[in-house]
Amino acid sequence: MEEQFIIKKAEFVVSAGLEGNYPSPLPCEIAIVGKSNVGKSSLINLLANNKKLAKTSSQPGKTRLVNFFLLNKEFYLVDLPGYGFAKASKTEQKSWGELLERYLGSGRVRHLLMLIDIRHAPTQDDLQMFRYLIYYGIPYTLIATKADKIARSKRKQEANARAKQLGAPPFAIPFSSETGDGKEELLVRIGQIVSDSEKIQKDSDEA
């Protein structure tokens, strides 16, 4: 296995709304997306070793803005609003959709981590989200969250099955913010993405 990427420093930068007040771009920007309550904030906090970095809530629909976190002072990890929150009004759902589309179409995103629940088949909203990222041509990695809820022996199989149901190649990283399972594999993946992005930027600057 490749050497683990370590996140030594993490800080909140800004929350951006529909007006698109994003921070100055960096060579690498990794966004995290998933339905409400799939565990985005918990995943960010586990990766950053900081339980209070991203606000977690048992109430779905808590993240309503695009939240930027600066990690290791070299790349952004971006928490996108959760989708598919049934109790949200039609107006709220529309504005969340516009917020997501504006950001995904901005050209800033180098890679997208899409979170899906390992226990359930993808929802219609998951399928729509996957169509978005294919449409925008954004490279992605699928993360099957809540892996601690099923037997260890079945995790890889179930994670890959969820990816296949989504219409993706049958591969997803089983992940649990409760036990830390999958953290190491995900950090290796993030390290690769950051390294590749910085190389692309360097080549572009030298061209």
Side-chain angles (χ1 to χ4, degrees):
M1 195 168 186
E2 293 192 34
E3 187 179 341
Q4 186 178 337
F5 183 72
I6 297 170
I7 293 172
K8 297 172 183 169
K9 187 169 176 58
E11 56 193 300
F12 171 75
V13 179
V14 71
S15 291
L18 266 173
E19 62 279 9
N21 53 323
Y22 309 137
S24 300
L26 290 172
C28 185
E29 188 159 311
I30 301 170
I32 298 180
V33 72
K35 65 184 179 185
S36 294
N37 230 13
V38 76
K40 297 191 309 300
S41 300
S42 298
L43 179 140
I44 291 169
N45 292 344
L46 184 72
L47 291 179
N49 298 310
N50 181 342
K51 289 181 180 176
K52 295 181 180 175
L53 185 66
K55 292 183 174 64
T56 58
S57 172
S58 56
Q59 174 130 23
K62 195 72 176 168
T63 305
R64 296 178 180 227
L65 296 165
V66 178
N67 294 319
F68 287 80
F69 300 93
L70 178 62
L71 274 60
N72 289 354
K73 293 201 173 290
E74 64 177 329
F75 73 100
Y76 291 123
L77 196 60
V78 184
D79 187 14
L80 298 177
Y83 52 79
F85 179 39
K87 289 184 183 173
S89 68
K90 285 280 184 269
T91 309
E92 276 184 317
Q93 287 179 27
K94 185 170 181 285
S95 71
W96 290 353
E98 288 170 358
L99 197 67
L100 277 173
E101 288 192 49
R102 176 173 183 141
Y103 176 70
L104 293 177
S106 68
R108 296 177 58 103
V109 196
R110 287 284 188 191
H111 202 93
L112 202 142
L113 303 177
M114 182 172 173
L115 275 52
I116 47 179
D117 191 322
I118 198 167
R119 301 168 298 174
H120 308 297
T123 64
Q124 284 304 313
D125 292 307
D126 288 325
L127 296 168
Q128 177 66 47
M129 186 66 235
F130 187 66
R131 285 193 287 270
Y132 273 155
L133 65 95
I134 296 299
Y135 173 78
Y136 288 112
I138 302 170
Y140 64 90
T141 299
L142 298 176
I143 316 293
T145 61
K146 306 185 189 287
D148 56 287
K149 306 293 187 192
I150 64 172
R152 184 177 293 276
S153 60
K154 293 182 179 175
R155 289 175 192 172
K156 201 72 190 165
Q157 179 188 343
E158 289 297 309
N160 294 348
R162 297 295 86 81
K164 193 174 178 182
Q165 288 169 331
L166 199 60
F171 173 78
I173 298 173
F175 185 90
S176 168
S177 55
E178 292 292 320
T179 64
D181 281 11
K183 177 182 178 182
E184 198 170 319
E185 188 177 351
L186 182 51
L187 282 171
V188 168
R189 185 80 192 97
I190 289 171
Q192 290 168 340
I193 296 161
V194 172
S195 173
D196 290 348
S197 298
E198 289 174 348
K199 184 176 184 302
I200 290 166
Q201 184 70 46
K202 185 169 179 282
D203 291 347
S204 169
D205 291 345
E206 289 173 356

